[in-house]
Each structure stands twice: as structure tokens, then as C-alpha cells.
Amino acid sequence: MSDTYSEYAVEAKSGFFGMKKEYETIFLDGTLEISAIYNKTRRKKKFQCEMKEVLGFHLGQKEEAVRLGKITRDFSSGQGGRSCCVMKIGTEKGSYVICFEPGEELEGILKRRYPNLKV
């Protein structure tokens, strides 16, 4: 298991016109990138941040992360009962609160490398 790389994909609720959509989360050397993949053929980068921009995160149910604020970008599958990571990120343009499903490997990386950011 590496502390510098993790990749995880989750199928999201169907988009418009029956298009299948999944979110892919890639963590590489302190950079988190989330992309949407449509019909397994087209990829679009939706979000990217450095871990040094993260103000705090919560692992668990997204409803439990109220201390981080209202979720502004949701990259989760939309299925209830799944474990999510809710992260507050501060940038030059303001702050965002995002939600995504990290997978076991990224959960472990966040717990080991960034325990001081956990809320």
C-alpha cells in the first residue's frame, strides 16, 4: 500500500438522456483530482486541489459533517449509507466544501498522513 498514490471510481446516478456517469478520484503526491467519466468513453476533470489547501475533512456519512459547512460540490454516487469524505478547501477564489467517496486506500492515506486535518 502506497502513501502517495490511490485511485478509486464510483458509479453515480444516471445523468441526462440515460448517460452513465462515474466519478474517478486520484490522489497522487498530495494532489487530489476528481474526474467525471461519461459512458466509459469521455473524461472531464471536475476538481483538483493540493492537500495544503485543505482546511479539514470528515470521513463517514456526509450528513455528519455539518461542522465543515454546506456541501457545495457533490462527487458521490448519491446512494445512501455509503462512506464519504467531506473536505473543506480554501483557495484564492474562496472556500469549497466537497463530498466524494474515497475508497479504503485513500481513507487510510488521509488518516495516516493528515490526522491533524480530521474534524
Side-chain angles (χ1 to χ4, degrees):
M1 184 163 26
S2 171
D3 270 0
T4 59
Y5 178 76
S6 173
E7 183 176 345
Y8 185 72
V10 61
E11 191 169 323
K13 288 186 177 177
S14 294
F16 297 109
F17 309 113
M19 200 179 253
K20 292 195 185 266
K21 177 171 66 171
E22 58 185 52
Y23 289 114
E24 180 183 60
T25 305
I26 298 175
F27 177 82
L28 179 63
D29 292 330
T31 301
L32 179 70
E33 180 181 304
I34 300 173
S35 299
I37 302 170
Y38 300 97
N39 285 336
K40 297 194 183 274
T41 57
R42 196 175 62 141
R43 167 189 301 271
K44 183 173 182 183
K45 187 187 309 183
K46 292 292 194 175
F47 187 80
Q48 182 173 342
C49 77
E50 298 290 325
M51 286 303 290
K52 62 185 174 195
E53 298 172 329
V54 174
L55 304 174
F57 70 88
H58 171 79
L59 295 168
Q61 301 298 312
K62 63 181 167 183
E63 294 81 17
E64 298 169 354
V66 294
R67 291 181 19 203
L68 292 172
K70 186 176 188 290
I71 295 172
T72 56
R73 296 184 180 185
D74 192 344
F75 303 111
S76 66
S77 65
Q79 298 175 5
R82 292 225 175 153
S83 178
C84 288
C85 179
V86 179
M87 232 178 231
K88 185 168 190 170
I89 296 119
T91 65
E92 296 171 357
K93 297 177 183 177
S95 64
Y96 300 99
V97 178
I98 66 166
C99 176
F100 64 96
E101 293 174 32
E104 289 179 25
E105 194 172 11
L106 182 54
E107 272 189 44
I109 291 171
L110 292 173
K111 287 176 185 176
R112 283 189 307 278
R113 290 189 65 191
Y114 306 100
N116 57 329
L117 294 175
K118 191 171 182 190
V119 293

